Amino acid sequence: MSEPVSFSPFRLDPESGRLWRDDQPVALRQKNFALLCYLAARPGRLVTKQELLDALWPGTHVTDVVLKVCINELRQALDDDPKQPRFIETVHRRGYRFVAAVRPGERPGPAAATAAGAAATTLVGRAAELAELDRALGEALGGRRQTVFLSGEAGLGKTTLLDAFLSGVTAGAPADGAWTVRGQCIASYGAREPFLPVLDGLARLCRESVEPRVVDRLRALAPEWLLQLGGVLAEDEREALARRAGNAAPERMLRTLGDALDALSRERPVLLVLEDLHWSDHSTIDLLSYVAQRGEGARLLIIGTYRPVEAIVHGQPVRALKQELVLRRRCRDLPLGLLDETAVRAYVAARFPDAARPGELAGWLHAKTDGNPLFLVTVVDELAARGLLAGDDRAAPAAAYERVGVPETLRQMIEQQLERLPAGDQLLLEAASVAGMRFAARTIAAALETDLLDVEERCAAVARVGRFLRALEAEEDADGSVTARFGFTHSLYREHLYSRIGPSRRALLHRRVGEQLERTAGASASELALHFEECREHARALLHLRGVAERALRAGAYREVLAAVDRGLALVERLPRDADTATTSLALHLTRGQALLAANGFAAPEVREAFDHVRALTEQTDDTPQLATALAGLWAYHNLRGHTAEMRAIAARLESLAERAPFPGARSMASTLAGVTSYQTGEPARARRELEHALAAGEQRNPLGFVDFGAPCLSVLALSLLMLGHPDE
């Protein structure tokens, strides 16, 4: 079929590769578009599954599942109910029938084509990459887990290609669709929260899925992950789950989510999509490595995007992971390059099918933009806005284009386009750049201290143009109100806008954004810390950095703990020397000791140094519980080193503290450590008395967070009784 057809409210144009709903283009993957064309060309006729497979996947072995996924994506794009179909009817076990009334249609004119702008559904110059993604999906649907890395510098179309591939694959898809976990790493040069893009994607999937199965699987197999997802669990359920989950070791965090993803993939295919990995935390890279290399089969497709140069500059390990996986044949590498002139010509033909001199225009565009897709689209939009691609002017020679003064670089072009916006809209976009790649209108209204409805309307107007912003799905706030959300269409727009803001205004906007995000509880601790650090409110930044460190500690992400603590200690140096600062410094050093103990082992020299420092600080502040924790950490160090004299001295000091200034768990901890010390020095009778005293004291509180004092108390007591000749006890 090559002629356009209509089936209300849609128009299908096979020649230009477009589907329109009224006057709006509908994005479809190439394979789905071909499937729709094939069915629409045979209205009312049963088309068998085998016929479709032979026609659309010639010479390729694929299963019926691939066809089902394409049909489901088409139904989502057409808003078609499979139980009461208006367009595609399923003939059980045989095939499909196109049931809508089809009539000849007209191709949209030049004005409509120009209005579609960058939203043109034809993806040019990326056919090989899209085909490779389709092959990876087919392998994953067959039960062989797949990993694909899309790499390329800013503006080369990684997100555009990804959107084209993922179009129609959404959370809460029909029963035989797919679950998509899609998250984005945040450009932050401060402390990073562990697993942030994965948690972001999981939270969105859990909130948006129409079925509870994702939450159920996480509750059963990965409770420590479910606990970190905001807005998913009720508070009472969160508290009960926290008591069951406890703190997680790094290996457990990786294993439990791997188990949960595999279990989910047995019900539906799972797509784990992580963007901008050049800004990733180390724990997310560890997770990718683990999940990609698990030996079990799974209907799982992992896709990661990153900028190679950014990854090198900021020392991110994503490139090393990709190289390792390529060597082990565990991933596909899809580097995106610049478009060649043939691809630019195809883009011009898709945007302006009746252009009089498409070859000349394409040649000029390619020379002007070097084939950078974002620059190409931006220049074409500029020419269309100036009227050079409409009417008789669309045949103008290259010299005419040169005379209009199109800037030489993409950033100059962005600046030129920004200058055409009203001053109020420029200020709005600058405030949005402070909030991040995605933001709520309520946050920008607070930053600008202006009316929320006005901000929503202005953001929506900018988004309708499709250049700087795009509308996102609205979210419900903690107070039950619904807030419009938007996102920048490309990170380069956000980066350029942020660079325009002067230091004083930037600090003011960061403070207002941070305060608004604090009120709505909608931001990560690392994001809040960054906002308050940028506005020089170091005490508030420290509060959130402690939250980053504590959350990372619970997740077993020790590198992120140490990074947050080091950042916090640097801020401590800028604060007044008072009691609050001393308390904060103590808490950070203690967290550092806990992380080092868990990451490097009890006997590592740096563990002793860290807890010695904490002991010195606590003796200055007279903080008994923290001092006891530091002493317990030192006892653990000496225990592994076999320093029994030091162990005895620390145990005696803890018993003295428990008598002088008792706190919850103090007596149990002191008696347990004293009893274990006595057992190791060959005094089982004394060990028995001390350990029974520990049990009688009650609370087996765990002040270190990594040492369970209840287990050694019981086990060493059993060994002491055995040595004393009481095996029955």
Side-chain angles (χ1 to χ4, degrees):
M1 181 176 76
S2 59
E3 292 303 314
V5 297
S6 296
F7 45 95
S8 182
F10 296 97
R11 299 195 311 278
L12 179 65
D13 186 355
E15 185 175 311
S16 66
R18 292 177 180 169
L19 174 68
W20 299 79
R21 183 182 187 123
D22 297 325
D23 293 327
Q24 297 299 316
V26 179
L28 288 178
R29 289 199 295 124
Q30 287 184 341
K31 194 63 70 176
N32 294 346
F33 186 85
L35 175 59
L36 179 59
C37 289
Y38 197 90
L39 291 173
R42 296 157 180 81
R45 178 192 137 188
L46 168 64
V47 182
T48 67
K49 295 179 182 179
Q50 192 58 53
E51 180 182 347
L52 288 170
L53 293 173
D54 291 342
L56 301 178
W57 287 272
T60 304
H61 175 69
V62 295
T63 66
D64 291 354
V65 177
V66 177
L67 182 57
K68 281 186 177 181
V69 170
C70 290
I71 289 290
N72 285 327
E73 291 176 354
L74 268 183
R75 282 175 170 152
Q76 291 173 24
L78 298 173
D79 195 20
D80 197 19
D81 185 350
K83 296 180 180 178
Q84 296 180 323
R86 294 183 299 143
F87 304 108
I88 302 173
E89 176 187 73
T90 299
V91 182
H92 187 55
R93 293 190 175 181
R94 298 181 65 191
Y96 303 93
R97 181 182 290 114
F98 197 80
V99 295
V102 176
R103 61 183 184 277
E106 296 181 358
R107 291 194 173 92
T114 302
T121 58
T122 300
L123 183 67
V124 299
R126 303 298 185 210
E129 291 86 352
L130 196 55
E132 191 67 18
L133 287 171
D134 280 330
R135 281 192 287 272
L137 177 61
E139 294 282 332
L141 294 176
R144 294 175 293 277
R145 70 179 67 230
Q146 300 289 307
T147 302
V148 180
F149 285 101
L150 293 177
S151 60
E153 299 312 320
L156 290 184
K158 298 182 295 296
T159 300
T160 301
L161 174 61
L162 196 56
D163 288 341
F165 173 70
L166 293 175
S167 60
V169 183
T170 59
D176 52 356
W179 274 310
T180 302
V181 180
R182 186 173 186 178
Q184 187 171 27
C185 303
I186 304 299
S188 170
Y189 303 104
R192 289 181 171 85
E193 288 200 48
F195 308 114
L196 187 60
V198 183
L199 293 169
D200 181 39
L202 284 173
R204 191 175 298 111
L205 175 62
C206 289
R207 288 194 298 263
E208 296 176 359
S209 180
V210 297
E211 301 174 7
R213 281 187 286 172
V214 177
V215 174
D216 291 343
R217 288 295 187 188
L218 292 175
R219 184 185 291 110
L221 297 172
E224 53 278 280
W225 286 87
L226 188 57
L227 281 169
Q228 298 184 66
L229 306 184
V232 175
L233 295 178
E235 191 58 37
D236 55 345
E237 185 180 7
R238 178 180 294 278
E239 292 174 359
L241 194 61
R243 288 192 293 271
R244 176 165 71 89
N247 289 330
E251 297 80 7
R252 174 176 169 79
M253 290 292 293
L254 305 185
R255 176 175 54 79
T256 55
L257 186 63
D259 290 344
L261 292 175
D262 285 2
L264 286 169
S265 78
R266 288 192 284 272
E267 300 181 35
R268 296 187 196 170
V270 176
L271 279 71
L272 175 60
V273 182
L274 302 176
E275 298 182 72
D276 294 332
L277 287 169
H278 50 276
W279 289 321
S280 173
D281 58 278
H282 285 262
S283 294
T284 295
I285 300 300
D286 290 342
L287 177 69
L288 274 182
S289 176
Y290 175 79
V291 174
Q293 298 185 80
R294 279 169 68 102
E296 303 88 347
R299 294 191 297 165
L300 172 66
L301 173 60
I302 304 169
I303 303 176
T305 72
Y306 74 96
R307 302 180 196 169
V309 172
E310 290 270 4
I312 293 172
V313 169
H314 298 294
Q316 295 297 349
V318 60
R319 290 181 73 252
L321 171 62
K322 184 206 71 176
Q323 291 165 359
E324 176 187 350
L325 293 179
V326 167
L327 287 174
R328 297 186 179 189
R329 299 185 179 180
R330 290 282 190 170
C331 82
R332 302 167 191 246
D333 183 23
L334 294 182
L336 299 188
L338 298 168
L339 298 177
D340 59 22
E341 189 169 340
T342 301
V344 175
R345 187 177 294 110
Y347 175 76
V348 170
R351 286 283 301 268
F352 308 101
D354 59 345
R357 295 184 178 180
E360 183 177 335
L361 175 59
W364 180 82
L365 286 169
H366 185 263
K368 190 74 177 176
T369 66
D370 290 325
N372 180 291
L374 180 60
F375 198 8
L376 169 66
V377 172
T378 308
V379 169
V380 170
D381 287 345
E382 179 72 13
L383 296 177
R386 297 188 185 198
L388 288 175
L389 300 177
D392 294 336
D393 286 336
R394 62 176 178 264
Y401 299 124
E402 296 287 359
R403 287 197 299 271
V404 304
V406 175
E408 293 300 320
T409 69
L410 178 56
R411 291 189 180 275
Q412 290 173 352
M413 174 68 79
I414 293 172
E415 182 62 27
Q416 186 181 77
Q417 293 174 335
L418 282 170
E419 289 298 331
R420 292 206 188 95
L421 293 177
D425 286 354
Q426 293 183 44
L427 294 176
L428 182 146
L429 289 173
E430 288 173 359
S433 74
V434 172
M437 277 295 293
R438 299 190 300 268
F439 56 88
R442 187 185 303 278
T443 303
I444 308 309
L448 295 174
E449 294 186 328
T450 190
D451 180 66
L452 172 60
L453 293 179
D454 179 59
V455 169
E456 286 187 347
E457 290 173 0
R458 288 161 61 195
C459 285
V462 174
R464 280 193 293 272
V465 176
R467 179 166 296 154
F468 296 105
L469 297 181
R470 56 192 174 94
L472 303 176
E473 186 171 347
E475 283 190 357
E476 186 174 335
D477 290 335
D479 60 3
S481 60
V482 177
T483 301
R485 296 178 66 253
F486 301 88
F488 284 97
T489 55
H490 199 283
S491 58
L492 282 177
Y493 292 139
R494 187 238 169 188
E495 292 165 17
H496 183 78
L497 281 155
Y498 189 78
S499 70
R500 289 165 44 119
I501 310 172
S504 299
R505 183 164 177 265
R506 183 182 295 179
L508 176 65
L509 290 172
H510 273 293
R511 179 173 61 78
R512 290 175 179 172
V513 167
E515 289 173 345
Q516 174 62 25
L517 292 177
E518 274 187 329
R519 288 192 291 270
T520 58
S524 66
S526 59
E527 188 178 357
L528 289 167
L530 179 64
H531 285 305
F532 289 120
E533 190 175 350
E534 287 293 327
C535 67
R536 304 296 188 270
E537 296 204 15
H538 302 310
R540 296 174 80 174
L542 265 175
L543 175 67
H544 295 293
L545 278 172
R546 287 179 61 181
V548 174
E550 289 164 5
R551 179 171 175 175
L553 198 60
R554 290 194 298 272
Y558 305 125
R559 280 174 298 196
E560 281 73 21
V561 175
L562 297 174
V565 167
D566 289 343
R567 191 68 187 164
L569 291 174
L571 292 183
V572 164
E573 297 300 318
R574 304 182 183 183
L575 293 175
R577 302 298 182 187
D578 54 22
D580 288 341
T581 303
T583 300
T584 300
S585 178
L586 171 61
L588 289 170
H589 278 292
L590 184 59
T591 302
R592 178 182 177 81
Q594 292 172 320
L596 287 170
L597 186 149
N600 299 348
F602 287 74
E606 54 268 30
V607 170
R608 177 180 181 175
E609 293 172 7
F611 283 118
D612 264 334
H613 192 78
V614 173
R615 179 171 60 178
L617 289 173
T618 53
E619 288 173 340
Q620 295 172 13
T621 60
D622 199 29
D623 190 324
T624 303
Q626 303 285 47
L627 174 58
T629 304
L631 290 171
L634 288 170
W635 182 93
Y637 167 81
H638 290 300
N639 180 33
L640 266 291
R641 289 276 179 166
H643 302 159
T644 54
E646 288 83 352
M647 292 166 60
R648 176 68 70 193
I650 291 173
R653 179 80 187 279
L654 283 169
E655 288 183 314
S656 174
L657 284 176
E659 291 293 333
R660 178 171 58 84
F663 56 91
R667 295 184 185 278
S668 294
M669 180 178 68
S671 296
T672 297
L673 298 188
V676 174
T677 302
S678 295
Y679 175 79
Q680 293 189 357
T681 55
E683 303 174 81
R686 182 177 179 178
R688 175 184 180 178
R689 291 194 303 273
E690 290 165 333
L691 294 170
E692 287 178 342
H693 182 70
L695 290 176
E699 297 180 10
Q700 295 295 312
R701 187 66 65 89
N702 180 1
L704 271 181
F706 296 98
V707 180
D708 179 6
F709 290 103
C713 179
L714 291 170
S715 61
V716 175
L717 177 57
L719 291 170
S720 300
L721 289 167
L722 186 64
M723 292 182 68
L724 292 169
H726 304 292
D728 55 322
E729 294 186 30

